Amino acid sequence: MKESVLLETRNLTHIFPDGTIGIKNVNLRIYAGEFMVIAGTNGSGKSVLTRHLNGLLVPTEGEVLMDGMAIAKNIVKTRKSVGLIFQDSESQFVGQTVEEEVAFGPENLGLPRSEIDQLVAQTLTSVGLSSVSNRNPYTLSGGQKRKLAVAGVLVMKPQIIIFDEPFTGLDYLGVVQVLNQLTSLHQQGHTIVVITHELEKVLAHAHRLVVMHQGKCVCDGKPEKILPLVEKYGIRNPLKNGGRIGELTWLS
């Protein structure tokens, strides 16, 4: 799996204006084609870390590299290549209709109208939202809103897609929709990073589990190797007492 490094952090540190340390000396590599899960309790630094990966936050120290080059040197390329989908899907919406929402990114790139229309149509079909293209985004179901947030990123043809707590607030049907979309995107060749504390929902599909604690990466490896350690850092181990992860049960 570890063939080529797409994204890398080197001694990445972020200290907020009030002196709070968000992350400290984080060194992490994301490899092409992998499915990574980053877990941690609230305040562990996982969301702060992800916001550095496409330049939404500027590090106090250290750097983020994409294809070996500092992302600060080409932030536009980085934000096109690294898509970030927030926990609150609605916070990303800017369009009055589903179609307008997906068109926003390509319009900002200055693409021809005919190309934008084709990209939007293809993307809506790929996420199963063609039938609601004229709906207001805020009238969609929770699962549909997550799909629309994905579509707004997917239309930019990113290499890496980062999902920040994608299952929060969803009912069972919504969780299934999002999980199916995650696995489908990975099968299509996208590198997937999922930030979540709900390990039981997604870990069966992951190649790698990273644990954040007090602003640092404290564990990084194959899920079956890392799971026995997670309770030490305040994360529930879903395999304890005979629990299951998706259709896969690991022996601890």
Side-chain angles (χ1 to χ4, degrees):
M1 173 55 60
K2 298 181 180 180
E3 297 176 354
S4 62
V5 179
L6 285 183
L7 205 60
E8 180 180 6
T9 69
R10 293 182 180 173
N11 299 318
L12 196 66
T13 297
H14 191 93
I15 301 174
F16 291 100
D18 65 358
T20 301
I21 297 175
I23 52 176
K24 182 71 172 176
N25 294 330
V26 174
N27 292 283
L28 185 69
R29 289 180 172 181
I30 299 174
Y31 297 90
E34 74 175 340
F35 192 127
M36 175 196 290
V37 171
I38 301 179
T41 58
N42 290 338
S44 63
K46 57 188 188 296
S47 291
V48 176
L49 170 62
T50 57
R51 279 157 177 75
H52 282 81
L53 298 182
N54 73 345
L56 287 180
L57 286 178
V58 177
T60 306
E61 297 176 14
E63 60 182 348
V64 181
L65 306 176
M66 182 158 193
D67 296 327
M69 180 179 294
I71 66 170
K73 294 181 178 179
N74 196 340
I75 199 68
V76 174
K77 177 185 176 182
T78 299
R79 289 181 179 168
K80 184 178 178 183
S81 299
V82 184
L84 176 56
I85 298 168
F86 295 103
Q87 177 178 341
D88 178 11
S89 302
E90 295 184 9
S91 68
Q92 291 180 267
F93 296 160
V94 294
Q96 295 298 308
T97 67
V98 167
E99 192 172 61
E100 289 178 4
E101 179 63 34
V102 180
F104 181 75
E107 286 173 347
N108 281 343
L109 294 179
L111 299 180
R113 188 72 243 174
S114 59
E115 185 176 348
I116 293 173
D117 291 342
Q118 184 178 12
L119 281 171
V120 170
Q122 290 173 346
T123 304
L124 287 177
T125 298
S126 72
V127 300
L129 291 180
S130 296
S131 63
V132 295
S133 62
N134 293 317
R135 288 265 300 274
N136 185 299
Y138 295 95
T139 66
L140 302 178
S141 69
Q144 287 175 323
K145 288 176 180 176
R146 291 285 202 283
K147 284 185 174 184
L148 179 54
V150 170
V153 166
L154 195 59
V155 74
M156 304 296 284
K157 300 187 181 301
Q159 292 176 279
I160 302 173
I161 305 178
I162 303 171
F163 294 81
D164 190 357
E165 297 289 358
F167 307 111
T168 299
L170 296 183
D171 58 14
Y172 175 76
L173 178 59
V175 169
V176 170
Q177 288 176 338
V178 171
L179 187 56
N180 286 340
Q181 193 165 55
L182 285 169
T183 56
S184 176
L185 289 169
H186 185 245
Q187 290 166 0
Q188 292 168 30
H190 295 282
T191 299
I192 303 295
V193 179
V194 179
I195 314 302
T196 184
H197 63 278
E198 300 179 81
L199 296 179
E200 69 280 0
K201 291 183 171 68
V202 71
L203 208 55
H205 305 282
H207 301 128
R208 187 171 160 204
L209 174 60
V210 173
V211 176
M212 297 284 296
H213 181 68
Q214 296 181 353
K216 298 181 180 180
C217 288
V218 293
C219 298
D220 183 353
K222 293 182 178 181
E224 61 267 35
K225 300 293 185 182
I226 302 300
L227 272 174
L229 309 174
V230 299
E231 288 188 328
K232 176 181 177 181
Y233 301 105
I235 304 167
R236 188 176 70 85
N237 183 346
L239 292 185
K240 199 168 185 179
N241 301 321
R244 295 179 65 86
I245 297 178
E247 298 177 351
L248 178 63
T249 300
W250 281 307
L251 297 177
S252 57

